[in-house]
Amino acid sequence: MKKTHMISEEYLYAIALRECNKIGDINFNKLVRTFGSAQKAWKNAKKEYKKIDGIGQKTVFDIGNLTHLKFAEEELKFCEKNNIQIKLRHLQETPVLLSKCPDAPAILYQKGDPHESLQKISIVGTRNMTSYGQQFIEDFFKASRSSQYASVSGLALGVDKEVHEQSIRSQKPTIVVLAHGFQYLYPAKNRKLSEKILQEGGALITEFSSSRKPDRENFIQRNRIVAGMSSSTIVVETGFGGGSVSTAAFANDYNRDIFALPGKITDHQSQGCNQLIFHNKAAAISTVKDLIDMLGFHKPPEKIEELFPYSEMTLQLSDNQKVIYQAIKENPQISLDNLTHEIKISSHKILPIILELELLGKVKSFSGRQFIVI
């Protein structure tokens, strides 16, 4: 019994400590690393702050303030009453990938199951989604239906909403990262969707205590969790200053994979994606099949034909493509000069055809202009 009591005390002190002025996630982490627990940090940090690197008297002045302890008591009651789980990073309760980020949240509040064992893919984008973005999301979920993963997004209108809805349709768990506490739901018109997500085995999570409103600055802060939870982030459509660009920036900081859906340079909703690709901050998505391969979804071989019944399986090569393909097949690692000699076509005509074969995934080139069949 004592152990349970001690553990529940740890949640109380963690919430109180995180409420203190100047104690953000990074300082919180330093404190619990130094003192061993939130409770010990709460009781000792003020007099023993010299033990901690980079933390001075000004940082610890608010620790021990009883107002925060009272706040934490109310928070625990609210969570218990509303079936909200509290997860602490320093007790290894928060998602593993997220907890590896230096600025990961010290505390997460959650409803539902975040499916820790499944690969997470964050899919984000503009509120003003076009039919192009919508079609891409639909195609992605159709094509990945035999893969095991959970989607992560932010419940905003537009792309986020579409991602959560398509996930439910495809029977994939979907995780919402909120930019406010559980007393609110923003936008209000997505309340029914949020309930459906929980019914279908997904989760709602937030780093914000229950009374925090959906203030503007919370959304950018929230985006680091969207990026940090997932091995890969896909940006569907976003304008120049879109919030999804910040998600991609966080994902870059955390060394995660970022993919962006390119669009016309004249389309406002594609400008953010095109910029990410242009500045090498995201890989361009060329086909849904290629994206699924790069995400590392391993499908059983027999499924591939059924998933992609078009072009990939029945490629009709032109006569010149066939001749060059056959010559490379019979002479692995053949050089361009030898290939020219072999098939009696000049090199300036061969190179464009080899590029076509490479783009079709039939041939691979090595340094020194050598080629093999894949």
Side-chain angles (χ1 to χ4, degrees):
M1 192 64 204
K2 189 158 189 284
K3 186 166 189 270
T4 320
H5 180 62
M6 275 175 66
I7 289 174
S8 63
E9 294 243 300
E10 186 59 9
Y11 292 93
L12 176 77
Y13 286 107
I15 294 167
L17 190 61
R18 185 63 186 79
E19 271 302 295
C20 295
N21 269 324
K22 304 214 185 299
I23 307 299
D25 295 311
I26 292 171
N27 280 342
F28 182 101
N29 202 30
K30 281 183 186 174
L31 287 164
V32 295
R33 263 208 321 261
T34 305
F35 293 103
S37 74
Q39 185 169 1
K40 285 178 181 157
W42 178 265
K43 289 176 175 168
N44 301 307
K46 212 162 178 173
K47 49 184 186 288
E48 297 180 31
Y49 67 87
K50 288 195 171 79
K51 279 185 178 176
I52 318 156
D53 268 358
I55 285 190
Q57 208 169 352
K58 276 187 180 157
T59 312
V60 297
F61 85 96
D62 200 22
I63 296 177
N65 182 335
L66 293 178
T67 317
H68 301 320
L69 218 44
K70 187 91 192 93
F71 172 89
E73 277 169 18
E74 294 303 316
E75 195 60 30
L76 284 175
K77 278 183 205 157
F78 179 86
C79 290
E80 205 169 316
K81 190 177 159 196
N82 293 283
N83 206 13
I84 296 160
Q85 304 164 58
I86 304 169
K87 301 290 183 184
L88 302 183
R89 181 190 183 192
H90 68 280
L91 297 185
Q92 282 82 51
E93 295 174 334
T94 53
V96 172
L97 262 186
L98 178 62
S99 64
K100 288 179 177 166
C101 306
D103 54 354
I107 305 170
L108 278 183
Y109 300 90
Q110 79 181 39
K111 282 186 176 186
D113 178 6
H115 296 273
E116 187 49 39
S117 61
L118 282 181
Q119 181 179 351
K120 309 285 185 306
I121 305 297
S122 290
I123 309 173
V124 296
T126 179
R127 285 170 174 74
N128 308 310
M129 176 181 63
T130 70
S131 57
Y132 170 60
Q134 184 171 14
Q135 189 62 55
F136 166 78
I137 295 166
E138 202 175 308
D139 291 349
F140 175 78
F141 278 99
K142 262 188 203 153
S144 61
R145 69 175 180 262
S146 66
S147 307
Q148 297 292 308
Y149 66 95
S151 67
V152 180
S153 202
L155 200 72
L157 300 173
V159 167
D160 293 14
K161 180 173 185 279
E162 187 69 22
V163 167
H164 297 306
E165 286 176 346
Q166 290 288 350
S167 298
I168 290 168
R169 255 173 244 153
S170 313
Q171 297 177 311
K172 297 268 178 273
T174 187
I175 298 159
V176 173
V177 186
L178 299 168
H180 50 75
F182 273 115
Q183 280 182 26
Y184 302 93
L185 191 93
Y186 178 84
K189 59 173 76 166
N190 280 350
R191 185 170 292 282
K192 276 218 157 41
L193 174 58
S194 75
E195 286 161 10
K196 182 90 174 132
I197 286 166
L198 291 174
Q199 281 161 19
E200 298 292 328
L204 307 180
I205 67 169
T206 180
E207 66 184 310
F208 298 108
S209 52
S210 61
S211 54
R212 278 290 285 279
K213 294 179 174 158
D215 296 327
R216 223 189 143 91
E217 65 273 11
N218 295 359
F219 288 85
I220 299 284
Q221 192 175 322
R222 176 271 309 272
N223 290 348
R224 84 187 193 294
I225 299 178
V226 175
M229 277 189 79
S230 305
S231 52
S232 304
T233 291
I234 298 167
V235 186
V236 177
E237 288 185 300
T238 185
F240 264 129
S244 307
V245 175
S246 74
T247 311
F250 286 123
N252 261 300
D253 276 352
Y254 302 147
N255 281 324
R256 306 290 163 79
D257 292 332
I258 302 114
F259 302 94
L261 181 69
K264 293 179 187 170
I265 59 172
T266 48
D267 284 356
H268 176 73
Q269 275 87 337
S270 289
Q271 287 173 346
C273 288
N274 292 344
Q275 279 300 101
L276 286 168
I277 293 163
F278 178 70
H279 290 294
N280 296 319
K281 298 290 185 197
I285 295 167
S286 57
T287 68
V288 171
K289 179 187 181 302
D290 286 346
L291 173 63
I292 286 168
D293 288 346
M294 288 193 286
L295 290 170
F297 291 166
H298 300 302
K299 295 172 299 299
E302 70 273 12
K303 292 276 186 194
I304 292 182
E305 204 149 1
E306 155 208 338
L307 283 175
F308 303 104
Y310 43 87
S311 61
E312 279 86 6
M313 303 322 291
T314 53
L315 285 170
Q316 292 299 310
L317 298 183
S318 69
D319 290 346
N320 276 348
Q321 284 174 340
K322 276 183 198 155
V323 169
I324 291 172
Y325 177 78
Q326 208 48 46
I328 296 172
K329 194 174 181 177
E330 286 162 15
N331 305 281
Q333 293 203 304
I334 188 169
S335 69
L336 183 61
D337 290 347
N338 290 345
L339 191 59
T340 312
H341 187 68
E342 187 81 23
I343 56 174
K344 311 283 188 292
I345 301 178
S346 61
S347 63
H348 72 273
K349 284 187 180 157
I350 288 178
L351 275 175
I353 297 168
I354 283 178
L355 178 60
E356 287 162 15
L357 290 168
E358 279 194 75
L359 295 176
L360 290 169
K362 293 286 187 186
V363 163
K364 190 168 161 62
S365 62
F366 288 94
S367 56
R369 285 187 171 175
Q370 294 176 308
F371 311 100
I372 58 160
V373 158
I374 299 171

